[in-house]
Amino acid sequence: MQAPSMWRHTLTFFPQFLAALKERAESDSTVTVIGASDGRLVVPLVAAGYRVIAIERDPIALHGGEVQLPGDRTGHAMGLIDRLKREGFYDRVQVVEDDFLETGPATTRCDAVWTSCSWHYSANHHQPLSEFVNRMQRLVRPGGLFGAEFMMPITQRHHMLEHYTSPERLRQYFIGDWDVLLTLRTNEFSEQAHVGQLQDHTHRMGLLLAARASTPS
């Protein structure tokens, strides 16, 4: 039996991104996923016919290994690479094992870029949020799609960190050649303990989808 994703029970706005992608891009377009993790959202993109560039820095997410589970248990997590091989998708994914914020500028733009709850992690706070967003934007070709779901602030500590943001605050980065297509937000909701967050916890999440103009304005 195939090992399930470590993040299979967590909420995601990915269906909204996929619907916009199907509406705006060819079926064999290239999508870059920033923070690909163990492939939870990479596999459905490949299954839908897209070519994927998967960028991930965590060796366990990439190669699998022992992880701490809720209830003071440990278990083995399947990594992205083994998951792709089991699905027969390995040849359709370019896996980049690197820190997205430390890599050089991309030489080839893609048709869409997506990230899921990546920039709020403390490991990504060594660069301002604007740099993270700007690097993602630079990957998107004219006419392409940008998609990001992200954690919104709940506690006072969160309000002091720009990496816990909101759709309204993100809009300031999408002027000129960008058109914001959709923003969504949740109310506070409870989520069960999972890998990386070993106690039940409360979240707020947001989504921003934007399209780059086909020609510069």
Side-chain angles (χ1 to χ4, degrees):
M1 180 177 179
Q2 182 170 320
S5 168
M6 293 184 290
W7 313 104
R8 65 191 182 278
H9 295 311
T10 58
L11 183 146
T12 180
F13 287 119
F14 178 76
Q16 285 82 356
F17 171 74
L18 186 58
L21 187 62
K22 290 179 177 178
E23 179 180 336
R24 306 181 70 89
E26 299 295 328
S27 59
D28 62 346
S29 297
T30 299
V31 183
T32 297
V33 178
I34 311 300
S37 188
D38 65 359
R40 175 196 178 199
L41 304 180
V42 171
V43 167
L45 285 169
V46 185
Y50 301 105
R51 292 186 293 269
V52 178
I53 301 170
I55 302 177
E56 177 57 60
R57 61 179 290 181
D58 182 2
I60 291 180
L62 285 166
H63 305 288
E66 187 175 278
V67 293
Q68 188 69 34
L69 300 173
D72 197 27
R73 299 176 295 121
T74 59
H76 181 84
M78 178 182 287
L80 169 65
I81 292 173
D82 283 343
R83 190 178 303 281
L84 293 173
K85 289 178 178 178
R86 285 202 180 189
E87 295 284 352
F89 292 155
Y90 184 70
D91 292 340
R92 291 186 60 86
V93 179
Q94 177 187 347
V95 178
V96 179
E97 187 170 357
D98 211 340
D99 184 341
F100 174 67
L101 291 173
E102 298 296 337
T103 56
T107 57
T108 303
R109 287 178 172 175
C110 59
D111 300 288
V113 63
W114 167 256
T115 195
S116 174
C117 299
S118 54
W119 59 52
H120 78 279
Y121 285 109
S122 58
N124 292 324
H125 292 182
H126 60 287
Q127 296 278 15
L129 177 59
S130 60
E131 177 64 13
F132 203 116
V133 174
N134 181 259
R135 280 176 176 263
M136 286 183 61
Q137 290 173 326
R138 297 199 318 254
L139 291 175
V140 181
R141 66 162 179 80
L145 182 69
F146 174 109
E149 61 183 5
F150 45 88
M151 293 299 177
M152 296 177 60
I154 296 178
T155 68
Q156 182 60 35
R157 178 182 70 85
H158 293 160
H159 283 280
M160 297 174 65
L161 295 170
E162 66 167 352
H163 296 81
Y164 288 82
T165 188
S166 68
E168 292 77 18
R169 292 175 183 173
L170 282 177
R171 277 182 176 272
Q172 66 180 305
Y173 303 118
F174 293 88
I175 57 177
D177 295 341
W178 290 94
D179 178 27
V180 175
L181 304 175
L182 177 67
T183 61
L184 294 173
R185 66 174 65 233
T186 69
N187 295 321
E188 291 187 13
F189 65 94
S190 297
E191 194 167 73
Q192 292 182 344
H194 55 74
V195 173
Q197 185 66 267
L198 300 178
Q199 304 295 328
D200 292 353
H201 47 284
T202 302
H203 283 319
R204 293 172 67 213
M205 286 178 58
L207 169 75
L208 185 142
L209 299 180
R212 189 167 203 161
S214 298
T215 56
S217 59

